[in-house]
Amino acid sequence: MGYMLNKDSKGIKIFIPNFYNIVKIKLDNEKYEFKPYFSLTDEERKKYKDAKDDTITFHKQKLAGFSLGNVFDIKDTTIPMDTIDAELNPIINDKRAEDIMDCFIKTIYNDGFNIEFKELEGGIKGYCDHSNHTIVVRKGLGSLMQMKVLIHEYAHALAHKHLENNNRDYQEHRNQYETEAESIAYVVSKYLNMNPSDYSLSYLYAWSKEKDFKEIDDSLNTIVNYSKKIINNFEKFYDREYGLYSEKNSLNCM
């Protein structure tokens, strides 16, 4: 993108984990064989990539080893981070977003999660604490961004319940889970006629460009199903409590 390292910048040496995929091959008599993806024949790879063929499917990733790499602090580059951060995370206040966020706060409480607004360090905008059934959102964000973060963490709360006592799975597949939550937030925000930032789309692209069809298909199912669930939870709660919805005028929180 045209940015460079500053003169005399020194990289930080890190170990980079290298993984390979293990696939499950269905045999006769309900037996299975497990083998690395790289050992498959051309014919087997075609079956693996065929969404309608379940004879060869993804099983898990396995650590192959580590390689040595470099990372650099953002301050060691010519990247104008302050300017980029201001463009990516504008403080935009939107009256409709404030009203809709109030609707979601009550909906989320109704689903058993508490909500807290706190000062958070670094670039963290929010997080979902499954163990304590709490969603935390960063103070000081514009109302539009706060609403987006709230929906993003709500998506984690519903779609990723299995991670409550499995932090290792989250760390191993973090990119996938974050992509799913951000994509759900994007879909719900669009449904509410808000204006989510385009970077939501880049989440899905960045994750999916190196994945096979079956992995993408699983995430798309999660995104679609939980987007519907969140929208339905939102509408049902307010239809029951406030009667704000009708067939002609849904999603009118004002």
Side-chain angles (χ1 to χ4, degrees):
M1 297 180 68
Y3 301 118
M4 301 176 65
L5 291 171
N6 296 327
K7 187 177 180 180
D8 299 326
S9 295
K10 294 182 180 180
I12 303 169
K13 296 292 184 182
I14 63 168
F15 286 110
I16 303 171
N18 301 313
F19 298 91
Y20 63 90
N21 289 346
I22 301 293
V23 300
K24 182 168 66 173
I25 303 174
K26 185 183 293 185
L27 305 176
D28 294 334
N29 301 322
E30 298 184 355
K31 294 183 179 180
Y32 294 91
E33 177 186 4
F34 300 90
K35 60 195 300 187
Y37 174 80
F38 60 74
S39 68
L40 298 181
T41 65
D42 290 341
E43 185 62 31
E44 288 174 329
R45 293 190 183 197
K46 288 181 181 179
K47 291 182 178 181
Y48 178 77
K49 294 179 179 180
D50 186 349
K52 298 180 180 179
D53 192 332
D54 64 352
T55 56
I56 302 179
T57 56
F58 174 79
H59 177 57
K60 67 177 182 179
Q61 283 190 323
K62 187 172 182 179
L63 179 66
F66 294 86
S67 57
L68 197 63
N70 291 304
V71 294
F72 292 85
D73 189 281
I74 196 72
K75 295 177 182 177
D76 290 327
T77 72
T78 61
I79 298 174
M81 201 59 218
D82 291 341
T83 302
I84 292 174
D85 185 61
E87 292 179 357
L88 288 178
N89 304 303
I91 298 178
I92 300 175
N93 291 305
D94 185 306
K95 185 61 171 66
R96 287 192 64 244
E98 293 176 11
D99 294 335
I100 290 173
M101 188 168 65
D102 184 59
C103 296
F104 265 110
I105 288 174
K106 295 173 183 175
T107 304
I108 293 170
Y109 272 124
N110 194 53
D111 280 332
F113 273 76
N114 295 318
I115 298 171
E116 297 179 3
F117 291 87
K118 293 183 176 180
E119 299 287 348
L120 299 177
E121 296 182 356
I124 299 174
K125 295 183 178 68
Y127 61 88
C128 176
D129 181 350
H130 283 93
S131 298
N132 296 309
H133 291 84
T134 301
I135 288 173
V136 177
V137 178
R138 183 174 187 162
K139 281 184 178 179
L141 298 175
S143 57
L144 190 61
M145 183 58 71
Q146 274 194 336
M147 185 204 74
K148 184 77 171 299
V149 173
L150 189 68
I151 300 172
H152 176 106
E153 302 306 335
Y154 186 25
H156 278 309
L158 297 183
H160 303 141
K161 291 179 181 179
H162 63 288
L163 298 176
E164 180 176 346
N165 298 308
N166 195 351
N167 187 59
R168 181 176 179 179
D169 185 39
Y170 172 76
Q171 293 299 331
E172 289 180 353
H173 304 285
R174 179 177 181 177
N175 206 1
Q176 175 184 345
Y177 294 132
E178 291 300 329
T179 298
E180 291 172 353
E182 184 65 20
S183 298
I184 291 168
Y186 178 84
V187 171
V188 175
S189 297
K190 290 289 284 186
Y191 183 79
L192 294 168
N193 295 319
M194 303 310 294
N195 184 29
S197 301
D198 290 340
Y199 69 77
S200 296
L201 297 178
S202 68
Y203 266 73
L204 187 57
Y205 170 73
W207 176 74
S208 64
K209 64 181 180 180
E210 296 179 355
K211 302 295 181 179
D212 60 54
F213 178 83
K214 290 180 180 179
E215 290 176 280
I216 298 172
D217 190 47
D218 288 342
S219 276
L220 289 177
N221 284 332
T222 297
I223 292 165
V224 170
N225 292 335
Y226 282 95
S227 293
K228 288 181 179 179
K229 184 176 181 64
I230 288 176
I231 290 168
N232 288 337
N233 287 356
F234 179 70
E235 289 190 335
K236 286 178 181 178
F237 180 75
Y238 273 89
D239 187 40
R240 184 179 72 245
E241 296 295 322
Y242 299 101
L244 293 177
Y245 295 94
S246 66
E247 292 182 0
K248 295 182 179 179
N249 187 26
S250 64
L251 301 175
N252 179 17
C253 294
M254 301 182 69

